[in-house]
Amino acid sequence: MTIKDVAEKFDLTQDTLRYYEKVGLIPKVNRTSGGVRDYTEQDMRHVEFVKCMRQAGLSIEVLAQYIALYQEGEKTASDRRQILVDEREKLMDRMAEMQETLDRLDFKINKYDRILKGETKIKKEDI
Amino acid sequence: MTIKDVAEKFDLTQDTLRYYEKVGLIPKVNRTSGGVRDYTEQDMRHVEFVKCMRQAGLSIEVLAQYIALYQEGEKTASDRRQILVDEREKLMDRMAEMQETLDRLDFKINKYDRILKGETKIKKEDI
DNA sequence: TCTTGACTTAGAGTGGACTTCACGGTTTAC
DNA sequence: GTAAACCGTGAAGTCCACTCTAAGTCAAGA
């Protein structure tokens, strides 16, 4: 698969794909005789994984580290596990914060609904 | 309250507080005769609100817009409500993505646990 | 009175994650 | 065969959200 196809498939730009490869989020992709990237199924699994992790906020740095360990083979399994555990923890924290904000948004939206129906007045101290 | 106290209270830097004021996330804070910021209770409610929203990923831009409407008074209530509804939606989407990633991390951590106990082998296609 | 330390400003600098540029080589459709 | 579309590179540029710097002001304590 060409970079164009992969970019479309995962809704990433070609630039982003090249960038990810450069910084090590994706292993070096094989090239055709003309030097054009030709993505394998395995490459795509990497792209999909990285996209998912990036969306959740894992940094380029930590992902590059993970992929580097992955490429060193089986002996790095426990280091890799630790990275995942740490990132899982961070993710849970972020989600808890977001849940708090979500609750707060719901509360405020509710308040606006009541205000707009004329049931309540805006109080100066409500931001 | 001085900027130092507020920074400590909310675990933000003084620079960040000045920056938030400059870009309109916090209304202009009153000054002492010497020009030093003196935060009121109401200012602090703003700071707390903004901190919470920023943590959840709402942009400076959208928050500044919200605060600007807030300062225009009651007539902007429905516009403000709409901002909150839109941001709530985005937040839910982000959280759903993060939940997906979390599930995936759990699955992978589990796999590593089994590998490290020797129950399974790493497969090449597992990233 | 002098020093210390916290405060002020405008504006420059930083870090993360892309994104664009300039320009040349490659592939494809007709 | 050739034009159009696509791909390659390294380096520079961009955007967001701060963060730091320089140079100055001010209040309190020795």
Side-chain angles (χ1 to χ4, degrees), chain B residues 4 9 12 15 23 27 31 37 44 46 48-49 52 54 60 62 64 69 71 74 77 90 99 109 111-112:
Chain B
K4 185 173 198 287
K9 189 171 159 76
L12 295 167
D15 283 322
V23 299
R31 310 303 181 94
R37 285 174 180 80
M44 312 252 266
H46 273 276
E48 198 273 324
F49 171 71
C52 178
R54 282 292 302 134
I60 299 283
V62 80
L69 288 170
Q71 307 212 76
E74 191 127 5
K90 286 191 219 165
Q99 185 59 55
I109 289 168
K111 205 161 208 170
Y112 275 113

Side-chain angles (χ1 to χ4, degrees), chain A residues 51-58 87-99, chain B residues 55-57 90-106:
Chain A
K51 186 187 175 181
C52 178
M53 296 296 139
R54 282 292 302 133
Q55 271 175 349
L58 277 73
E87 293 305 313
R88 188 204 126 95
E89 183 78 9
K90 286 191 219 164
L91 189 49
M92 296 264 285
D93 290 352
R94 282 202 297 276
M95 285 180 76
E97 277 175 2
M98 287 167 85
Q99 185 60 55
Chain B
Q55 272 176 349
K90 286 191 219 165
L91 189 49
M92 296 264 285
D93 290 351
R94 282 202 298 277
M95 284 179 76
E97 278 175 2
M98 288 167 84
Q99 185 59 55
E100 232 181 274
T101 307
L102 189 61
D103 291 347
R104 195 154 171 178
L105 283 174
D106 283 340

Side-chain angles (χ1 to χ4, degrees), chain A residues 70 81 88 106 113 124, chain B residues 70 81 88 106 113 124:
Chain A
Y70 166 79
R81 179 183 174 285
R88 188 204 126 95
D106 283 341
D113 286 344
K124 192 174 155 300
Chain B
Y70 166 80
R81 179 183 174 284
R88 188 202 126 94
D106 283 340
D113 286 342
K124 193 176 156 296

Side-chain angles (χ1 to χ4, degrees), chain A residues 42 44-49 52-53 55-58 66-67 70 73-78 80-81 84-85 87-89 91-92 94-95 97-102 104-106 108-109 112-113 115-116 120-127, chain B residues 42 44-49 52-53 55-58 66-67 70 73-78 80-81 84-85 87-88 91-92 94-102 104-106 108-109 112-113 115-116 120-127:
Chain A
Q42 177 69 354
M44 312 253 266
R45 275 191 288 273
H46 273 276
V47 172
E48 198 271 325
F49 171 71
C52 178
M53 296 296 139
Q55 271 175 349
L58 277 73
Y66 180 83
I67 298 294
Y70 166 79
E74 191 128 3
K75 65 181 190 295
T76 64
S78 92
R80 276 185 272 165
R81 179 183 174 285
L84 298 185
V85 169
E87 293 305 313
R88 188 204 126 95
E89 183 78 9
L91 189 49
M92 296 264 285
R94 282 202 297 276
M95 285 180 76
E97 277 175 2
M98 287 167 85
Q99 185 60 55
E100 231 181 275
T101 308
L102 188 61
R104 195 154 170 177
L105 283 174
D106 283 341
K108 294 175 76 60
I109 289 167
Y112 275 115
D113 286 344
I115 287 164
L116 291 164
T120 321
K121 278 255 165 193
I122 292 178
K123 294 200 204 84
K124 192 174 155 300
E125 66 273 21
D126 289 338
I127 296 139
Chain B
Q42 176 69 354
M44 312 252 266
R45 275 191 289 273
H46 273 276
V47 172
E48 198 273 324
F49 171 71
C52 178
M53 296 295 140
Q55 272 176 349
L58 277 74
Y66 180 83
I67 299 293
Y70 166 80
E74 191 127 5
K75 64 181 191 299
T76 65
S78 91
R80 276 185 273 164
R81 179 183 174 284
L84 298 185
V85 169
E87 292 305 313
R88 188 202 126 94
L91 189 49
M92 296 264 285
R94 282 202 298 277
M95 284 179 76
E97 278 175 2
M98 288 167 84
Q99 185 59 55
E100 232 181 274
T101 307
L102 189 61
R104 195 154 171 178
L105 283 174
D106 283 340
K108 294 176 77 58
I109 289 168
Y112 275 113
D113 286 342
I115 286 163
L116 290 165
T120 321
K121 278 254 162 194
I122 293 178
K123 294 199 204 83
K124 193 176 156 296
E125 66 271 22
D126 290 339
I127 296 140

Side-chain angles (χ1 to χ4, degrees), chain A residues 7-22:
Chain A
E8 266 165 30
K9 188 170 160 74
F10 294 106
D11 197 26
L12 295 167
T13 68
Q14 302 182 22
D15 287 322
T16 300
L17 285 169
R18 290 191 203 99
Y19 171 72
Y20 280 177
E21 187 176 337
K22 190 169 74 177

